[in-house]
Amino acid sequence: MPSRACLRGGSRREPAIASARHPAFPAGSPVGEGVARPSALRLASGRGRYTDDQTLPRMVHLAFVRSPMAHARIRGIDIAAALAFPGVVRVVTGADIATVCKPMQVTLAHLPQHVSAEQWPIAIAEIAFQGEPVAAVVARSRREAEDAAELVAVDWEELPAVVDPIAALAAGSPMVHSSLGSNLAFSARFENGEVDRAFAAAAAVVEHRFDFGRVACVALESRAIIADYDPTERSLLVRQSHQSPHLMQTMFARHLGLAEHRVRVIAGDVGGAFGSKLHVYGDEIATAAIAVLLGRPVKFTADRLEAFQSDAQAREFLATGRLAADRDGRILAIDVDLVSGIGGYSIYPRSSLGDGLQAATFLGAAYDIAAFRSQLRVAYQNKVPSGALRGVGQPISCSIVEQLIDLAAGALDIDPAEMRRRNYLRQGQFPATSKGGLKMTELSLVPCLDRILELMDYRCLRQQQSELREAGIHRGIGFATFLEQTAPGAGLYGPGGLPITSQDSCIIRFEPSGTVRCEIGCSDQGQGTLTGIAQIVAATLGIPLDDVAVSAGDSAGAQGGGAWASRGLAISGEAAHAAARQLRRNLLTVAAAVLQGNLEDLDIRDRLIVDVADGRERLSLARVCEIAYYCQDLLPPEVTPELSATSHFTPRTDPYFIANGIQACHLEIDAETGWIKLLDHWIVDDCGHVINPLLVDDQLRGGIVQGLGAALFERCVYDEQGQQLTATMADYLVPMAAEMPDITIAHVLTPQPGTALGIKGVGEAGTIGATAAVWCAVNDALRPFGVRVGRQPFSPEVILTALGVIPTPPVVDPVNPNDEEGDMQ
């Protein structure tokens, strides 16, 4: 009979498991020692969390109290009324969170000039954007938590807000963070070649101003998290809608002071993300911290209204670009000034610099340019923090350069397609490094251009455009040559000292039935990555696709970086292919031993072991696996069956696989209403070998639609006090199916060198070029009127303003903020 102390959960020690030291293990190792694990103590005491005790706590729900102001100081918080509300378990403030959690702050070892402020998961003293959490209500249900949250009374001291990035950088501007002493988060200048001399010698110089509207990600599934903390083991289990579970495992461990191996993050099927679920959000860290405080499961789901106030937004830029060309249309130089508005904080841990840095360095990378200069300034402002969004900065650089090329072509009376052809990097120039520092192995720029001109019947389309203009119908044709950085290598985040891996692993095994289970280090957010992995494994092993089960998104499984930057098949696919090849060899080794033959003489085809020479069936795959697992007595003693394999893959590029392609847009503008009708859209993409054509083409279509939405509909609008005016789906417009054109897709194949499969990424290509193609097409349609637009999205108001129907507002030049002109529209 157990002792009374054991029944009461007393401090009685467990008996030693063993007393003899095993000679193969050193002193101090767990082997041979009497170790009482917490799980054993739980079972002995009867106080474990997973018993039938009906008094054990159940999951509770969170609702956050968010700041209604964009900039304010917290003078006090009264939680008494909320605590008294039925169903409320606890009301948590920033001070409570600080007892168990460290603050967030971006630090980049390779960019020490980046200045960032400390950010608490729940604000303690001051808030920097509308929607920043200031308290959290924990209750039995979400409804009760939301109702009680309305009873939390915050004593605010409202502070001046600054929302315009140019104004934020001006002398005397209100400080978003007084501790920083400035709103300048980062600045950099990139220059290569004699830019000023090139402009002085040019036959044509064109200039254009660009206003890129801030956009929201609007993923189908909002952010959600369930955090379950076990105080007996000091372990944390998190189920989260996130793109990178291994990153979050590290972040939860670091900020909550937990051992990393005691933290597990599961991110299963994620309903879309587009980059917004790549970051560490304060409310999600707070959810886990509250689970630690309470010792019970805690759930938080951001509804759509909260998403507009808390999810990362992106792509707020003001820019002025210039291009110099000689009389033959050769680009001599480009010079671009960029100002990026990143909101109240540099988003953790990657920072909010990615948009700006990639926009500044990718400029004109596809073209043979003699001289290059870009200036980047990044400003804090009292808005939602800016983060990653499909393409990260590349849609900005693509739109700027492609529009400048069109303007130069017009000034020199050169066809826009021919202008591009004359300036492309040629096959003999690769490998090449762009003037902005982008390293490229091999691109297919001219073949892609030739293919798209054929697809769209370009000459006929231009002739039709000319005839319709005579009839008062204004159509435009626009091109956008794009590069897509995919599958980032260690050179992207390694120098910054961030815990973000470029490596993925694959763990694969045969089951006794002859089917295959595969764990992969990437994750899936709706792209179909796991289907592609299963295809690679099935093809490599010679078994049907239905015999392969692929799992991902679990930090307790295969190590990897998750889903971002079009890395899934390009990285995890390589790891899966290598692991499957090893597993195939292991299986055939066993089969050869059973058949008393040579491994090289055998093959796997459709669940069978066959002779390579004549395809004759020798044994079923299932029987070989059965022998390996259960009948090892049938094998020679020197054969140890290993029906599992593990492999890793790290891109050795510096730092990307570069895909490329070109898009074209055909549209019509109604000069009376300003309405734009999309008629046709084409894309020719080179993403290397294509594993699944349906998945690839639909990724391109989805990306194009997202880019068209940014071009024509989407913009996060704030007033001067930092209040969001487009904070619902009734106000923030997204593209609908009826408004989208037919999208024609074709491919050019250039395998990625240095890889087994030759795959490049494809997930962002559509978005990168779509906005630029529309921009060029809109200004092409407006060319007979002698006007052009520079403000995205191209709403009817923007078009009518350009046509002079609506008065033109003054526009601030990002290079010379004191100069005001009215030609941005």
Side-chain angles (χ1 to χ4, degrees), residues 188-200 320-324 332-338 359-364 369-376 400-401 404 434-437 815:
R189 182 185 180 93
F190 306 93
E191 189 163 357
N192 193 331
E194 298 182 358
V195 176
D196 294 332
R197 178 177 293 183
F199 274 96
T320 296
R322 298 189 302 146
L323 182 146
L332 301 178
I334 58 172
D335 183 10
V336 178
D337 188 278
L338 294 152
T361 56
F362 273 60
L363 290 161
I369 300 172
F372 167 94
R373 180 166 61 211
S374 67
Q375 171 75 29
L376 171 66
I400 291 173
V401 170
L404 291 175
S434 75
K435 291 298 188 228
V815 179

mmCIF file of all heavy atoms in Angstrom, residues 188-200 320-324 332-338 359-364 369-376 400-401 404 434-437 815:
data_model
loop_
_atom_site.group_PDB
_atom_site.id
_atom_site.type_symbol
_atom_site.label_atom_id
_atom_site.label_comp_id
_atom_site.label_asym_id
_atom_site.label_seq_id
_atom_site.Cartn_x
_atom_site.Cartn_y
_atom_site.Cartn_z
ATOM 1 N N ALA A 188 20.453 54.601 -45.180
ATOM 2 C CA ALA A 188 21.562 53.990 -45.910
ATOM 3 C C ALA A 188 21.628 54.588 -47.305
ATOM 4 O O ALA A 188 20.623 55.046 -47.855
ATOM 5 C CB ALA A 188 21.389 52.475 -45.989
ATOM 6 N N ARG A 189 22.807 54.569 -47.857
ATOM 7 C CA ARG A 189 23.034 55.062 -49.203
ATOM 8 C C ARG A 189 23.809 53.991 -49.974
ATOM 9 O O ARG A 189 24.809 53.467 -49.484
ATOM 10 C CB ARG A 189 23.838 56.369 -49.159
ATOM 11 C CG ARG A 189 24.118 57.021 -50.517
ATOM 12 C CD ARG A 189 25.010 58.231 -50.305
ATOM 13 N NE ARG A 189 25.347 58.924 -51.542
ATOM 14 C CZ ARG A 189 24.675 59.953 -52.038
ATOM 15 N NH1 ARG A 189 23.607 60.413 -51.388
ATOM 16 N NH2 ARG A 189 25.059 60.534 -53.156
ATOM 17 N N PHE A 190 23.322 53.660 -51.154
ATOM 18 C CA PHE A 190 23.961 52.650 -51.992
ATOM 19 C C PHE A 190 24.345 53.319 -53.313
ATOM 20 O O PHE A 190 23.495 53.903 -53.986
ATOM 21 C CB PHE A 190 23.002 51.485 -52.248
ATOM 22 C CG PHE A 190 22.443 50.873 -50.990
ATOM 23 C CD1 PHE A 190 21.229 51.311 -50.466
ATOM 24 C CD2 PHE A 190 23.123 49.873 -50.321
ATOM 25 C CE1 PHE A 190 20.702 50.764 -49.313
ATOM 26 C CE2 PHE A 190 22.607 49.318 -49.155
ATOM 27 C CZ PHE A 190 21.391 49.766 -48.646
ATOM 28 N N GLU A 191 25.627 53.251 -53.661
ATOM 29 C CA GLU A 191 26.083 53.930 -54.870
ATOM 30 C C GLU A 191 27.149 53.097 -55.555
ATOM 31 O O GLU A 191 28.048 52.550 -54.906
ATOM 32 C CB GLU A 191 26.612 55.326 -54.555
ATOM 33 C CG GLU A 191 26.904 56.162 -55.786
ATOM 34 C CD GLU A 191 27.035 57.646 -55.465
ATOM 35 O OE1 GLU A 191 26.834 58.028 -54.297
ATOM 36 O OE2 GLU A 191 27.340 58.420 -56.400
ATOM 37 N N ASN A 192 27.028 53.002 -56.881
ATOM 38 C CA ASN A 192 27.967 52.213 -57.665
ATOM 39 C C ASN A 192 28.084 52.865 -59.042
ATOM 40 O O ASN A 192 27.124 52.906 -59.808
ATOM 41 C CB ASN A 192 27.468 50.769 -57.786
ATOM 42 C CG ASN A 192 28.525 49.823 -58.314
ATOM 43 O OD1 ASN A 192 29.404 50.223 -59.067
ATOM 44 N ND2 ASN A 192 28.412 48.558 -57.942
ATOM 45 N N GLY A 193 29.237 53.401 -59.359
ATOM 46 C CA GLY A 193 29.423 54.072 -60.637
ATOM 47 C C GLY A 193 29.315 55.585 -60.522
ATOM 48 O O GLY A 193 28.984 56.131 -59.468
ATOM 49 N N GLU A 194 29.563 56.275 -61.628
ATOM 50 C CA GLU A 194 29.575 57.743 -61.648
ATOM 51 C C GLU A 194 28.195 58.251 -62.056
ATOM 52 O O GLU A 194 27.930 58.560 -63.228
ATOM 53 C CB GLU A 194 30.665 58.237 -62.599
ATOM 54 C CG GLU A 194 32.062 57.797 -62.159
ATOM 55 C CD GLU A 194 33.143 58.326 -63.084
ATOM 56 O OE1 GLU A 194 32.809 59.005 -64.088
ATOM 57 O OE2 GLU A 194 34.325 58.083 -62.804
ATOM 58 N N VAL A 195 27.314 58.348 -61.074
ATOM 59 C CA VAL A 195 25.915 58.669 -61.336
ATOM 60 C C VAL A 195 25.759 60.083 -61.893
ATOM 61 O O VAL A 195 25.091 60.299 -62.920
ATOM 62 C CB VAL A 195 25.089 58.494 -60.046
ATOM 63 C CG1 VAL A 195 23.644 58.933 -60.278
ATOM 64 C CG2 VAL A 195 25.140 57.047 -59.568
ATOM 65 N N ASP A 196 26.343 61.056 -61.250
ATOM 66 C CA ASP A 196 26.161 62.446 -61.676
ATOM 67 C C ASP A 196 26.708 62.679 -63.076
ATOM 68 O O ASP A 196 26.101 63.397 -63.884
ATOM 69 C CB ASP A 196 26.834 63.396 -60.679
ATOM 70 C CG ASP A 196 26.149 63.354 -59.310
ATOM 71 O OD1 ASP A 196 24.939 63.067 -59.276
ATOM 72 O OD2 ASP A 196 26.826 63.611 -58.304
ATOM 73 N N ARG A 197 27.843 62.083 -63.399
ATOM 74 C CA ARG A 197 28.408 62.240 -64.738
ATOM 75 C C ARG A 197 27.484 61.611 -65.788
ATOM 76 O O ARG A 197 27.307 62.151 -66.885
ATOM 77 C CB ARG A 197 29.789 61.602 -64.796
ATOM 78 C CG ARG A 197 30.434 61.670 -66.177
ATOM 79 C CD ARG A 197 31.836 61.099 -66.167
ATOM 80 N NE ARG A 197 32.742 61.932 -65.363
ATOM 81 C CZ ARG A 197 34.048 61.695 -65.232
ATOM 82 N NH1 ARG A 197 34.592 60.661 -65.859
ATOM 83 N NH2 ARG A 197 34.795 62.484 -64.485
ATOM 84 N N ALA A 198 26.873 60.462 -65.439
ATOM 85 C CA ALA A 198 25.969 59.807 -66.380
ATOM 86 C C ALA A 198 24.752 60.675 -66.671
ATOM 87 O O ALA A 198 24.321 60.793 -67.828
ATOM 88 C CB ALA A 198 25.535 58.456 -65.821
ATOM 89 N N PHE A 199 24.205 61.315 -65.665
ATOM 90 C CA PHE A 199 23.049 62.181 -65.888
ATOM 91 C C PHE A 199 23.430 63.409 -66.719
ATOM 92 O O PHE A 199 22.658 63.865 -67.565
ATOM 93 C CB PHE A 199 22.436 62.591 -64.549
ATOM 94 C CG PHE A 199 21.432 61.599 -64.013
ATOM 95 C CD1 PHE A 199 21.808 60.627 -63.097
ATOM 96 C CD2 PHE A 199 20.116 61.631 -64.430
ATOM 97 C CE1 PHE A 199 20.904 59.708 -62.614
ATOM 98 C CE2 PHE A 199 19.189 60.716 -63.952
ATOM 99 C CZ PHE A 199 19.580 59.757 -63.042
ATOM 100 N N ALA A 200 24.615 63.917 -66.481
ATOM 101 C CA ALA A 200 25.052 65.103 -67.227
ATOM 102 C C ALA A 200 25.240 64.792 -68.714
ATOM 103 O O ALA A 200 25.022 65.666 -69.569
ATOM 104 C CB ALA A 200 26.349 65.630 -66.630
ATOM 105 N N THR A 320 11.140 59.301 -55.067
ATOM 106 C CA THR A 320 11.410 60.059 -56.281
ATOM 107 C C THR A 320 12.495 59.314 -57.050
ATOM 108 O O THR A 320 13.549 58.989 -56.493
ATOM 109 C CB THR A 320 11.878 61.488 -55.966
ATOM 110 O OG1 THR A 320 10.826 62.193 -55.311
ATOM 111 C CG2 THR A 320 12.240 62.217 -57.251
ATOM 112 N N GLY A 321 12.202 58.999 -58.315
ATOM 113 C CA GLY A 321 13.159 58.255 -59.114
ATOM 114 C C GLY A 321 13.541 59.002 -60.376
ATOM 115 O O GLY A 321 12.715 59.675 -60.999
ATOM 116 N N ARG A 322 14.812 58.877 -60.771
ATOM 117 C CA ARG A 322 15.307 59.459 -62.023
ATOM 118 C C ARG A 322 16.038 58.387 -62.805
ATOM 119 O O ARG A 322 16.671 57.498 -62.236
ATOM 120 C CB ARG A 322 16.258 60.620 -61.742
ATOM 121 C CG ARG A 322 15.656 61.801 -60.989
ATOM 122 C CD ARG A 322 16.643 62.974 -60.984
ATOM 123 N NE ARG A 322 17.915 62.618 -60.391
ATOM 124 C CZ ARG A 322 19.097 63.108 -60.786
ATOM 125 N NH1 ARG A 322 19.143 63.970 -61.807
ATOM 126 N NH2 ARG A 322 20.216 62.756 -60.177
ATOM 127 N N LEU A 323 15.961 58.503 -64.136
ATOM 128 C CA LEU A 323 16.670 57.580 -65.019
ATOM 129 C C LEU A 323 17.305 58.370 -66.147
ATOM 130 O O LEU A 323 16.671 59.265 -66.729
ATOM 131 C CB LEU A 323 15.709 56.512 -65.567
ATOM 132 C CG LEU A 323 16.303 55.431 -66.476
ATOM 133 C CD1 LEU A 323 15.580 54.114 -66.272
ATOM 134 C CD2 LEU A 323 16.250 55.843 -67.950
ATOM 135 N N ALA A 324 18.546 58.040 -66.463
ATOM 136 C CA ALA A 324 19.281 58.665 -67.569
ATOM 137 C C ALA A 324 19.537 57.627 -68.644
ATOM 138 O O ALA A 324 19.910 56.479 -68.349
ATOM 139 C CB ALA A 324 20.605 59.246 -67.070
ATOM 140 N N LEU A 332 21.860 54.621 -68.673
ATOM 141 C CA LEU A 332 23.165 55.036 -68.151
ATOM 142 C C LEU A 332 23.197 55.041 -66.626
ATOM 143 O O LEU A 332 24.224 54.712 -66.030
ATOM 144 C CB LEU A 332 23.504 56.434 -68.678
ATOM 145 C CG LEU A 332 23.557 56.585 -70.200
ATOM 146 C CD1 LEU A 332 23.847 58.040 -70.564
ATOM 147 C CD2 LEU A 332 24.613 55.659 -70.796
ATOM 148 N N ALA A 333 22.081 55.435 -66.009
ATOM 149 C CA ALA A 333 22.086 55.542 -64.546
ATOM 150 C C ALA A 333 20.652 55.609 -64.041
ATOM 151 O O ALA A 333 19.741 56.058 -64.747
ATOM 152 C CB ALA A 333 22.857 56.780 -64.089
ATOM 153 N N ILE A 334 20.472 55.173 -62.814
ATOM 154 C CA ILE A 334 19.227 55.417 -62.084
ATOM 155 C C ILE A 334 19.593 55.996 -60.723
ATOM 156 O O ILE A 334 20.642 55.684 -60.150
ATOM 157 C CB ILE A 334 18.371 54.147 -61.915
ATOM 158 C CG1 ILE A 334 19.144 53.047 -61.177
ATOM 159 C CG2 ILE A 334 17.854 53.651 -63.251
ATOM 160 C CD1 ILE A 334 18.270 51.852 -60.830
ATOM 161 N N ASP A 335 18.696 56.829 -60.212
ATOM 162 C CA ASP A 335 18.918 57.512 -58.937
ATOM 163 C C ASP A 335 17.567 57.596 -58.243
ATOM 164 O O ASP A 335 16.636 58.217 -58.767
ATOM 165 C CB ASP A 335 19.491 58.904 -59.179
ATOM 166 C CG ASP A 335 19.823 59.639 -57.880
ATOM 167 O OD1 ASP A 335 19.786 59.000 -56.807
ATOM 168 O OD2 ASP A 335 20.097 60.852 -57.955
ATOM 169 N N VAL A 336 17.437 56.940 -57.094
ATOM 170 C CA VAL A 336 16.142 56.847 -56.424
ATOM 171 C C VAL A 336 16.294 57.217 -54.956
ATOM 172 O O VAL A 336 17.223 56.765 -54.278
ATOM 173 C CB VAL A 336 15.555 55.424 -56.538
ATOM 174 C CG1 VAL A 336 14.222 55.333 -55.802
ATOM 175 C CG2 VAL A 336 15.379 55.030 -58.001
ATOM 176 N N ASP A 337 15.364 58.054 -54.481
ATOM 177 C CA ASP A 337 15.291 58.396 -53.062
ATOM 178 C C ASP A 337 14.029 57.782 -52.485
ATOM 179 O O ASP A 337 12.930 57.990 -53.009
ATOM 180 C CB ASP A 337 15.277 59.912 -52.875
ATOM 181 C CG ASP A 337 15.394 60.288 -51.406
ATOM 182 O OD1 ASP A 337 14.373 60.266 -50.710
ATOM 183 O OD2 ASP A 337 16.499 60.603 -50.957
ATOM 184 N N LEU A 338 14.194 57.011 -51.412
ATOM 185 C CA LEU A 338 13.083 56.282 -50.801
ATOM 186 C C LEU A 338 12.914 56.687 -49.351
ATOM 187 O O LEU A 338 13.895 56.782 -48.596
ATOM 188 C CB LEU A 338 13.340 54.780 -50.852
ATOM 189 C CG LEU A 338 13.369 54.085 -52.210
ATOM 190 C CD1 LEU A 338 14.271 52.868 -52.158
ATOM 191 C CD2 LEU A 338 11.967 53.694 -52.619
ATOM 192 N N ALA A 359 13.822 47.119 -51.468
ATOM 193 C CA ALA A 359 13.414 48.100 -52.474
ATOM 194 C C ALA A 359 14.612 48.898 -52.970
ATOM 195 O O ALA A 359 14.739 49.175 -54.169
ATOM 196 C CB ALA A 359 12.364 49.040 -51.884
ATOM 197 N N ALA A 360 15.513 49.254 -52.066
ATOM 198 C CA ALA A 360 16.654 50.097 -52.425
ATOM 199 C C ALA A 360 17.732 49.341 -53.193
ATOM 200 O O ALA A 360 18.438 49.928 -54.018
ATOM 201 C CB ALA A 360 17.254 50.715 -51.168
ATOM 202 N N THR A 361 17.879 48.044 -52.944
ATOM 203 C CA THR A 361 18.984 47.300 -53.551
ATOM 204 C C THR A 361 18.573 46.477 -54.771
ATOM 205 O O THR A 361 19.427 46.097 -55.571
ATOM 206 C CB THR A 361 19.643 46.371 -52.521
ATOM 207 O OG1 THR A 361 18.645 45.509 -51.957
ATOM 208 C CG2 THR A 361 20.288 47.177 -51.404
ATOM 209 N N PHE A 362 17.279 46.204 -54.929
ATOM 210 C CA PHE A 362 16.818 45.430 -56.086
ATOM 211 C C PHE A 362 16.548 46.308 -57.306
ATOM 212 O O PHE A 362 16.229 45.797 -58.382
ATOM 213 C CB PHE A 362 15.544 44.653 -55.732
ATOM 214 C CG PHE A 362 15.796 43.303 -55.105
ATOM 215 C CD1 PHE A 362 16.493 43.199 -53.918
ATOM 216 C CD2 PHE A 362 15.339 42.146 -55.701
ATOM 217 C CE1 PHE A 362 16.726 41.969 -53.328
ATOM 218 C CE2 PHE A 362 15.559 40.909 -55.135
ATOM 219 C CZ PHE A 362 16.262 40.804 -53.948
ATOM 220 N N LEU A 363 16.657 47.605 -57.178
ATOM 221 C CA LEU A 363 16.341 48.525 -58.265
ATOM 222 C C LEU A 363 17.148 48.199 -59.524
ATOM 223 O O LEU A 363 18.375 48.200 -59.511
ATOM 224 C CB LEU A 363 16.630 49.966 -57.833
ATOM 225 C CG LEU A 363 15.694 50.576 -56.784
ATOM 226 C CD1 LEU A 363 16.350 51.783 -56.117
ATOM 227 C CD2 LEU A 363 14.368 50.989 -57.435
ATOM 228 N N GLY A 364 16.438 47.904 -60.607
ATOM 229 C CA GLY A 364 17.096 47.698 -61.885
ATOM 230 C C GLY A 364 18.002 46.507 -61.970
ATOM 231 O O GLY A 364 18.862 46.449 -62.865
ATOM 232 N N ILE A 369 23.044 48.293 -66.167
ATOM 233 C CA ILE A 369 23.066 49.723 -65.849
ATOM 234 C C ILE A 369 24.482 50.136 -65.463
ATOM 235 O O ILE A 369 25.136 49.459 -64.662
ATOM 236 C CB ILE A 369 22.078 50.031 -64.699
ATOM 237 C CG1 ILE A 369 20.656 49.641 -65.119
ATOM 238 C CG2 ILE A 369 22.136 51.499 -64.298
ATOM 239 C CD1 ILE A 369 19.645 49.722 -63.996
ATOM 240 N N ALA A 370 24.942 51.234 -66.007
ATOM 241 C CA ALA A 370 26.321 51.658 -65.766
ATOM 242 C C ALA A 370 26.521 52.256 -64.380
ATOM 243 O O ALA A 370 27.571 52.077 -63.760
ATOM 244 C CB ALA A 370 26.743 52.663 -66.835
ATOM 245 N N ALA A 371 25.540 52.998 -63.897
ATOM 246 C CA ALA A 371 25.701 53.685 -62.609
ATOM 247 C C ALA A 371 24.390 53.625 -61.825
ATOM 248 O O ALA A 371 23.300 53.656 -62.406
ATOM 249 C CB ALA A 371 26.128 55.132 -62.822
ATOM 250 N N PHE A 372 24.525 53.565 -60.524
ATOM 251 C CA PHE A 372 23.366 53.310 -59.662
ATOM 252 C C PHE A 372 23.511 54.073 -58.356
ATOM 253 O O PHE A 372 24.599 54.123 -57.767
ATOM 254 C CB PHE A 372 23.289 51.803 -59.396
ATOM 255 C CG PHE A 372 22.358 51.387 -58.283
ATOM 256 C CD1 PHE A 372 21.051 51.028 -58.548
ATOM 257 C CD2 PHE A 372 22.803 51.334 -56.963
ATOM 258 C CE1 PHE A 372 20.198 50.624 -57.533
ATOM 259 C CE2 PHE A 372 21.966 50.940 -55.940
ATOM 260 C CZ PHE A 372 20.658 50.583 -56.224
ATOM 261 N N ARG A 373 22.399 54.652 -57.891
ATOM 262 C CA ARG A 373 22.398 55.287 -56.567
ATOM 263 C C ARG A 373 20.990 55.177 -55.983
ATOM 264 O O ARG A 373 19.999 55.416 -56.667
ATOM 265 C CB ARG A 373 22.826 56.740 -56.656
ATOM 266 C CG ARG A 373 22.847 57.459 -55.275
ATOM 267 C CD ARG A 373 23.603 58.771 -55.356
ATOM 268 N NE ARG A 373 22.995 59.709 -56.290
ATOM 269 C CZ ARG A 373 23.688 60.616 -56.982
ATOM 270 N NH1 ARG A 373 25.012 60.697 -56.860
ATOM 271 N NH2 ARG A 373 23.075 61.433 -57.821
ATOM 272 N N SER A 374 20.938 54.808 -54.730
ATOM 273 C CA SER A 374 19.667 54.843 -54.005
ATOM 274 C C SER A 374 19.924 55.306 -52.583
ATOM 275 O O SER A 374 20.954 54.984 -51.980
ATOM 276 C CB SER A 374 18.973 53.483 -54.011
ATOM 277 O OG SER A 374 19.712 52.524 -53.268
ATOM 278 N N GLN A 375 18.997 56.089 -52.094
ATOM 279 C CA GLN A 375 19.057 56.613 -50.736
ATOM 280 C C GLN A 375 17.811 56.135 -50.008
ATOM 281 O O GLN A 375 16.693 56.288 -50.501
ATOM 282 C CB GLN A 375 19.089 58.147 -50.751
ATOM 283 C CG GLN A 375 18.936 58.821 -49.392
ATOM 284 C CD GLN A 375 20.194 58.725 -48.548
ATOM 285 O OE1 GLN A 375 21.292 58.668 -49.089
ATOM 286 N NE2 GLN A 375 20.038 58.725 -47.235
ATOM 287 N N LEU A 376 17.989 55.532 -48.837
ATOM 288 C CA LEU A 376 16.871 55.005 -48.055
ATOM 289 C C LEU A 376 16.841 55.650 -46.687
ATOM 290 O O LEU A 376 17.853 55.705 -45.988
ATOM 291 C CB LEU A 376 17.002 53.478 -47.903
ATOM 292 C CG LEU A 376 16.029 52.810 -46.927
ATOM 293 C CD1 LEU A 376 14.581 52.918 -47.421
ATOM 294 C CD2 LEU A 376 16.415 51.349 -46.699
ATOM 295 N N ILE A 400 8.998 51.136 -59.575
ATOM 296 C CA ILE A 400 9.769 52.360 -59.836
ATOM 297 C C ILE A 400 10.550 52.232 -61.147
ATOM 298 O O ILE A 400 10.466 53.095 -62.037
ATOM 299 C CB ILE A 400 10.712 52.653 -58.654
ATOM 300 C CG1 ILE A 400 9.897 53.064 -57.416
ATOM 301 C CG2 ILE A 400 11.715 53.750 -59.026
ATOM 302 C CD1 ILE A 400 10.727 53.203 -56.156
ATOM 303 N N VAL A 401 11.321 51.178 -61.284
ATOM 304 C CA VAL A 401 12.191 51.047 -62.454
ATOM 305 C C VAL A 401 11.387 50.830 -63.725
ATOM 306 O O VAL A 401 11.690 51.419 -64.772
ATOM 307 C CB VAL A 401 13.209 49.915 -62.235
ATOM 308 C CG1 VAL A 401 13.965 49.603 -63.523
ATOM 309 C CG2 VAL A 401 14.191 50.294 -61.137
ATOM 310 N N LEU A 404 9.939 54.122 -64.847
ATOM 311 C CA LEU A 404 10.975 54.998 -65.390
ATOM 312 C C LEU A 404 11.413 54.545 -66.785
ATOM 313 O O LEU A 404 11.672 55.377 -67.667
ATOM 314 C CB LEU A 404 12.178 55.035 -64.441
ATOM 315 C CG LEU A 404 11.967 55.745 -63.094
ATOM 316 C CD1 LEU A 404 13.196 55.585 -62.213
ATOM 317 C CD2 LEU A 404 11.635 57.216 -63.292
ATOM 318 N N SER A 434 24.380 42.730 -59.599
ATOM 319 C CA SER A 434 23.763 44.004 -59.977
ATOM 320 C C SER A 434 24.473 45.164 -59.303
ATOM 321 O O SER A 434 25.247 44.975 -58.354
ATOM 322 C CB SER A 434 22.281 44.005 -59.592
ATOM 323 O OG SER A 434 22.136 44.164 -58.185
ATOM 324 N N LYS A 435 24.206 46.367 -59.774
ATOM 325 C CA LYS A 435 24.815 47.548 -59.169
ATOM 326 C C LYS A 435 24.373 47.730 -57.720
ATOM 327 O O LYS A 435 25.051 48.363 -56.917
ATOM 328 C CB LYS A 435 24.466 48.797 -59.983
ATOM 329 C CG LYS A 435 25.117 48.839 -61.354
ATOM 330 C CD LYS A 435 26.635 48.862 -61.243
ATOM 331 C CE LYS A 435 27.260 49.110 -62.602
ATOM 332 N NZ LYS A 435 28.309 48.223 -62.942
ATOM 333 N N GLY A 436 23.215 47.163 -57.369
ATOM 334 C CA GLY A 436 22.760 47.220 -55.982
ATOM 335 C C GLY A 436 23.296 46.104 -55.117
ATOM 336 O O GLY A 436 22.993 46.037 -53.927
ATOM 337 N N GLY A 437 24.085 45.183 -55.726
ATOM 338 C CA GLY A 437 24.737 44.130 -54.952
ATOM 339 C C GLY A 437 24.050 42.782 -55.000
ATOM 340 O O GLY A 437 24.476 41.851 -54.306
ATOM 341 N N VAL A 815 12.379 64.121 -51.628
ATOM 342 C CA VAL A 815 13.775 64.577 -51.647
ATOM 343 C C VAL A 815 13.874 65.990 -51.093
ATOM 344 O O VAL A 815 14.775 66.325 -50.325
ATOM 345 C CB VAL A 815 14.330 64.514 -53.088
ATOM 346 C CG1 VAL A 815 15.772 65.003 -53.102
ATOM 347 C CG2 VAL A 815 14.240 63.097 -53.626
#
